[in-house]
Every structure is written in structure tokens, then in C-alpha cells.
Amino acid sequence: MSPPPDTTLNPLQPLKFLLPIPIKLPELFSSLMKGFVAICIVASISLISFSTFSTRQWLDSSDIDLINPSPNPTIQLGNTNNGEDNTNISHILFGISGSAKTWDQRRQYSELWWSHNVTRGFVWLDKEPAGTWPATSLPYRVSANTSQFKYECSYGLRSAIRIARIVKESFELGLDNVRWFVMGDDDTVFFTENLVGVLGKYDHRQMYYVGGVSESVEQDVIHSYTMAYGGGGFAISYPLAAELVRVLDGCIDRYAEFYGSDQKIGGCMSEIGVPVTKELGFHQVDIRGDLYGLLAAHPLAPLVSLHHLDYVQPVFPGLTRIDSLKKLVQAYKVDSGRALQHTFCYDLSRNWSISVSWGYTVQVYPSLVTAKDLETAFQTFVTWRSWSQEPFAFNTRAMSPDPCQRPVIYFLDRVENAESGRTQTSYKRFVAEPGKECGHEDYAPALAVNFVNVSAAAFDLATWTKVRNLSFVQFQFH
């Protein structure tokens, strides 16, 4: 590698440098193997620097030095088709729990992802709604009476029984061509293209129970580590649903002391003998405060769902909860598989570290930060139940109150399709407290960067089902 040039940022002279890129490798889990996929998430980044001369300066770079390990064969995670067509959205039947009283306040979440005449399913209510049903909402059904069942959890609600039986009532509708039953809450936002991709990895003719656990360890301890949490959503394959329907009502009475519907379903799954298959993209969001740290260091897995969005701050500052979600969904619709995918690199000419969560945020550190730190979420939140600083089901690191110990943060400004199957996203610098930025000399060049542009190739959703060799990525600074 050639020696780095002078690190002084001259706004009138373009700089050239080499970037060694450590590629984070996602883990793709199955019951039989683990694999690794090299996610080549960013093809080029442009840093726009505004100088005191009011001149926009583009920093121009060469390509990248990257250590490539010895070749490994491509491995397919099983053939789940066997002559059948691939799983698509029409094969999924959604069962969403809701109530007639709160639907008008909650429906805005499901209306973000529901597509009429495309997605299939119902919101299941406790009684007939008053007035005219909104045309923008998904269709509804009214749950059957559950007064004959026992409920013995002193701090819970009997509605858990009704919600647990949604999968049974959905199955008993007898709709054609259903491979998966997906359960969720009325405040769950699903990212359906990614959900289809995740479920497509599994053979729907076998018994599968797919979902995620809570982010707060206290919730996992109280309820279970071995169940899929209902707010984040979970999926049950048709054969497993058939068996679950057979035993569910008895299970509900046997687990009368269990708090929630998902806990009752989990108990039934234990009796059937099918463990939960955990997918990291299902998010219960059992945290409070600011979701930023988690979304900025999202695990390398497709974003499938978000929940409890009324209990965290809007994901984009300065917007309402719904408007900020619309902005996130806008990026997702441009390139669904790449949404929130996390990568980072180093600019050795300035000793900068750059972290990208595609479609959401960019962080620029005017220092060299270890890969371990860059992949670890900032703790911008507290636990769900006790509002404590810990513990969580994933590693976190402190977000210092000192601006000189924080990265320079950028949020998504715009996203668009570019030429040759690429996308272009632009991120604008966010100033939390004007006048309280870091005054250190080494921060000045980073603070002079007001926008970061990221260009990337369209993401191939099939990547999540394969193990591939490490690939080369190119970054360009203009």
C-alpha cells in the first residue's frame, strides 16, 4: 500500500487515498449449519465538504486494499422448493391482534405496510367496531367468545386468551394456498419483502416456528428465552399450525398462569416439541428511550419488523413517529434488503472511521475506532420493565455526554434510484445542540462535512440464503 498523503484538509485540492475495508460477515442460522455472507453494502461514498470559501469540494479516491481469504465453495442452505414455486407474499396469512376501542389510534402502523389486494389476512377485534370501517385499513374479523377458558395471571389481561387463539381462528378459515401464518400486534410494522425472504429459506412443509426474543433480559427471564415474542411477530408453517390448532385450547387452560398470548403459544410449542427458530430481524423493541443505537448498528439480518413504536422516540429527529417511519419505509421500498444494513470503513489519510446504516444514518469518527466498537450499538435506551441501564440481549456501549467523545452523526435526507441498478442515498449532518459541538482541532474537518452520499448496488435478497466468498467493495470519496 502506498503511504497516505498529507492529512491536512485543503478545500481547494482533491485528496487521494487507499481504504482498507473490514467487511462484517452476517451469520445465517439454520438447524444444521452456520454460514457467512459477505455483504458488499456500499459501493461508493461521497463526502461533501463546505469550506469558508462557500465552495463545494468533492474528495476523490482510488480503490481499496482488501485481504481476501482462501476461496470457499458457495453453499446453499438446503433446497426448500423441490419443484414448487418460491414463497411469495400471497402464501402468508397475517393475523393481527387489535381492539375496537384502540384501532383508530393504532391503525396508522399497519397501514404503513398493508397493501390491498396483495397482502392477505385480518385484524382480529374483541367486538364489532363502531361506525364505518376505514377503507385504508386491513379487513377485520371478530374473535370468538373465550369466557370458558381459565386465566390465572394476576397482573395480566384475559385478552391474552383471545389473541392466542387468532392462529386457530385464522387456520379454521380454510383459505387456499397458505404456507405461513404470521402473527403480530396492531402496532407492529412489518417489512413484508424481507419477511418473505426470511420465510423462503425454510421448507414450509415442515414444522417451523420463526421469530425473535426480547431485547431486555429481564423480559426474557420473566417470560421465556425459548418463545417468539408476539409484538415483533412470529411465523408458523402450515403443518405446525395444523398441530397447534389441535392442542391449542387445552394448552391455554394448562398454561392459565402465563401472562401473554405469545407465552401461551410458546408453551404449546414446547408440548409439540418444536423450538423457536430465531431470526434477528424480528424486533420486539422491549426498550424505552431512543431506538437510534439499535438501528444504527442493526444486526446483519433482514429488517423484518418493529414494535412498541409508541414507547420510543421517533426514529428520525424533528419528525412525528409516523412521519419518521414513513421516511424509513421510503428507503426500504427503494432497496428492501439493504434497509439498515450496517457496514464501516477506515480513511487512513485522515484517521477517520465511517459507519453506515443504509437508509438511516451515517457516523463519522475523526479517529480510528476498533471494529468491535463500531459493530456494537450505542446505548441510547433503557430496559422495558424497570427502565434500567442493563442488561440487554446484545452488547451495548455508552454514548458519552461529551461531544468530543461522540461521532459526527448524519441522518437520511433523501434516497433515489440511480443508473445501472444502483441506489443513491444522501445523509445530512444532525446537530443536537447548536453551539455545543466539539471544539477540538481534530474534529473541525469532520464537522465541515455537511452531507454524506452513499451509492450502492441493488441488494440481492437471495444473498441471505447462501454462503459466499468475501467480495471486494469500492468506496469513492468525491
Side-chain angles (χ1 to χ4, degrees), residues 313-383:
Q313 296 173 18
V315 295
F316 286 100
L319 297 177
T320 65
R321 286 185 176 89
I322 292 300
D323 286 343
S324 64
L325 288 169
K326 287 179 178 178
K327 190 170 189 175
L328 185 64
V329 169
Q330 178 189 15
Y332 153 79
K333 287 182 175 179
V334 171
D335 194 346
S336 60
R338 200 174 298 286
L340 297 189
Q341 293 312 303
H342 184 212
T343 193
F344 49 82
C345 68
Y346 298 99
D347 170 8
L348 296 183
S349 68
R350 295 178 194 76
N351 287 340
W352 283 6
S353 307
I354 301 163
S355 172
V356 179
S357 176
W358 190 92
Y360 181 54
T361 188
V362 170
Q363 299 169 356
V364 175
Y365 300 76
S367 60
L368 296 180
V369 181
T370 66
K372 185 62 179 175
D373 279 345
L374 290 175
E375 74 174 5
T376 303
F378 277 120
Q379 189 186 331
T380 56
F381 40 78
V382 294
T383 63

Side-chain angles (χ1 to χ4, degrees), residues 147-167:
S147 59
Q148 72 273 27
F149 294 97
K150 295 186 295 183
Y151 188 76
E152 298 174 354
C153 180
S154 61
Y155 58 91
L157 298 172
R158 281 193 60 87
S159 58
I161 298 171
R162 179 182 70 82
I163 295 170
R165 296 186 80 253
I166 287 176
V167 63

Side-chain angles (χ1 to χ4, degrees), residues 98-101 124-130 140-143 162:
S99 81
K101 182 178 180 180
W124 292 81
L125 305 177
D126 51 345
K127 62 182 179 179
E128 284 286 344
Y140 76 88
R141 295 279 177 135
V142 177
S143 299
R162 179 182 70 82

Side-chain angles (χ1 to χ4, degrees), residues 198-211:
V198 166
L199 297 182
K201 296 192 303 182
Y202 303 103
D203 187 345
H204 63 90
R205 296 163 304 175
Q206 305 300 319
M207 290 188 176
Y208 277 104
Y209 169 45
V210 182

